[in-house]
Amino acid sequence: MFRFKKIILPAIVFITGGCVLVLEVAATRVLAPYFGNTIYTVSSIIGVILAALASGYYFGGRLADQRPTAVWFYAIILISGLTVVGLEAIIILVLPILGDSLSLIYGPLITALILFFLPALLLGALSPYAIKLQSQLFPEEGIGAVSGTIFFWSTLGSIAGSLLTGFIFIPNFGVDKIIIGVGLLLCLIGF
């Protein structure tokens, strides 16, 4: 039982780290029909996701110090899942309007901010939160070892999410199903 408890949070950040990159890779397919598969589109998506993750790390760390409970951790996952599921509605209803009214240069940046910033911020908040919770559960481990483990598994999940999306998910399922699947998976973990 002890061993199982020790791998729960690393396993969760593996999955949520994967979800971030699944969304990031899928975002290029979401925006391409409206703004092309240009350097502006790709740079905008990468920049927005990184800004959201950085913000999530900062605010997640602060919140973890204020409310270091598993309930808050899983609530963030649930809310992130709901934002991803809601993303599909925004893509269907709002993206065509934005695509028609924004330029090919700044449109991808504005659209990526609207669509992907909040879900990525929430997912970014999870790593510092997991570090806090894991260090409470296993105080005998140093904070360096705990944070190294959490970031290792989160990054490994991101690598897996990136490769799976490009090589398996997009060719076999399509972007709409991928986004809904990610949202539902996050909601399931959050519950």
Side-chain angles (χ1 to χ4, degrees):
M1 187 63 166
F2 174 79
R3 188 122 172 93
F4 178 72
K5 273 188 161 182
K6 199 167 189 174
I7 64 167
I8 291 173
L9 289 171
I12 290 172
V13 297
F14 176 86
I15 294 167
T16 58
C19 289
V20 172
L21 263 287
V22 169
L23 291 175
E24 186 171 354
V25 174
T28 60
R29 300 294 276 220
V30 169
L31 298 187
Y34 301 95
F35 303 107
N37 195 9
T38 67
I39 194 68
Y40 300 115
T41 302
V42 174
S43 295
S44 294
I45 293 165
I46 293 170
V48 165
I49 297 294
L50 288 174
L53 289 173
S55 300
Y57 298 151
Y58 180 81
F59 292 114
R62 300 264 180 197
L63 187 61
D65 283 340
Q66 294 171 0
R67 304 200 190 303
T69 66
V71 171
W72 277 83
F73 177 75
Y74 289 105
I76 294 168
I77 297 172
L78 176 62
I79 294 166
S80 71
L82 294 172
T83 63
V84 172
V85 171
L87 187 61
E88 189 60 29
I90 296 170
I91 289 169
I92 293 167
L93 299 173
V94 178
L95 188 54
I97 297 165
L98 293 174
D100 288 341
S101 60
L102 297 173
S103 75
L104 295 176
I105 295 174
Y106 298 108
L109 180 60
I110 294 166
T111 305
L113 277 167
I114 292 168
L115 296 175
F116 301 105
F117 188 84
L118 182 59
L121 180 142
L122 291 167
L123 291 168
L126 297 173
S127 288
Y129 227 106
I131 290 167
K132 180 71 170 187
L133 295 177
Q134 191 81 343
S135 65
Q136 287 178 331
L137 290 170
F138 305 100
E140 68 279 0
E141 288 190 35
I143 195 70
V146 169
S147 60
T149 299
I150 294 298
F151 279 109
F152 170 82
W153 286 107
S154 176
T155 303
L156 202 61
S158 294
I159 294 166
S162 173
L163 295 173
L164 286 170
T165 304
F167 287 93
I168 296 171
F169 297 158
I170 288 176
N172 292 300
F173 302 109
V175 175
D176 296 338
K177 289 178 184 170
I178 294 168
I179 291 172
I180 295 295
V182 166
L184 293 176
L185 175 62
L186 290 168
C187 287
L188 181 66
I189 294 169
F191 277 123

